[in-house]
Amino acid sequence: MKTKKDVITDGKTKTIIKGEQPGTCVLETKDILTGGDAAKRAEFKDIGKWKTTQTANIFNYLKKKGVETSFIKQFSDNSLLCYECEMLPLELVSRRFAWGSFLKRMPKFKKEDGTPYRFEQIRTEFFHKKSVIAAPLTDKPYQLEEGDARNLYLKDGVWEKGVYTDPYIHIENGRWYLYPGKETFVQNQPLMETPALLNKEEVNHVVNELMLPIFKYLEEAWDNVETKDGKVALVDMKIEIGRRKVDNKLVIADVIDNDSWRIWPGADPKKQLDKQCFRDGHPAGEITEKYKLVAELTGKW
Ligand SMILES: Nc1ncnc2c1ncn2[C@@H]1O[C@H](COP(=O)(O)OP(=O)(O)OP(=O)(O)O)[C@@H](O)[C@H]1O
Ligand SMILES: [Mg+2]
């Protein structure tokens, strides 16, 4: 029986519970998918089980490659035993292809023939998890937890003007500036400055020792997966990082599951196996089948 005291966080898709050993926690995944900053939300039978299996498979694979994570082991069908971390309010995105919100910020990468632009060198980006509240809601922009922004400014699935969820972080001379995440990037016109969450050495470490190797390992693993539509292209992915409470080490934490990336068999956007099918309103059965398939495929790594 879990008591209220044991719950560290009750999030949109997971509940984090104190583990029995000090410095550990249990990530329990709900049978829920969310999209559009949780403007869209639905329940899917067994999806928590498939997502848990995916994260366990992926973190076990990364462990074999020597990447340190917060993951200890799978705890039950829908939960993982992890090291508890002091999470940083960041989403770290790595991209092989220009797609999704990237094209909104950088429309010049949009190709006329509709095929995605391929980055020779993986492109890395940081986003802040705290939303920005700006004009016309206020003269002095400030940051707010996404949940609080949602309670105040999401009405019938539509955000009020002036709310910027997951703002893009542009780092210049060690200072961190926030820009709209889903509008054209205009240099020198940030929404606001935000305190730097990592120093220069830590930024380098995060990019070169975590984001890039992790992307390459997973891209390679997917490249070896043959489906009826061809090999699977890893288009982009998101990770979160935190400092493990046991040793203060900065590691990849949270989860990597089918919500975390775009994966396209045969490099075809219409064949996507990831959460995009939910965002696009595909039938529930098809969505669950895709999550199950990804759990099975990552199990071979
Ligand atoms: N190992 C960990 N130790 C402590 N907290 C963790 C760990 N892994 C994940 N978390 C945190 O658990 C919280 C709950 O997860 P969930 O994904 O449901 O949250 P959320 O509502 O989507 O919010 P967020 O946008 O912060 O992810 C997240 O804030 C995440 O950062
Ligand atoms: Mg989350």
Side-chain angles (χ1 to χ4, degrees), residues 8-16 25 27 30 34 70 82-88 91 129 146 150 166 238 240 253-255:
I8 302 171
T9 323
D10 187 24
K12 293 191 291 265
T13 60
K14 283 175 300 250
T15 309
I16 318 294
C25 62
L27 268 61
K30 303 174 186 178
T34 64
S70 61
C82 298
Y83 289 108
E84 190 186 348
C85 295
E86 201 63 62
M87 298 299 293
L88 279 86
E91 299 211 335
K129 287 179 75 161
E146 191 186 284
R150 199 178 308 126
D166 297 326
K238 171 214 108 168
E240 291 187 25
D254 196 53
V255 298

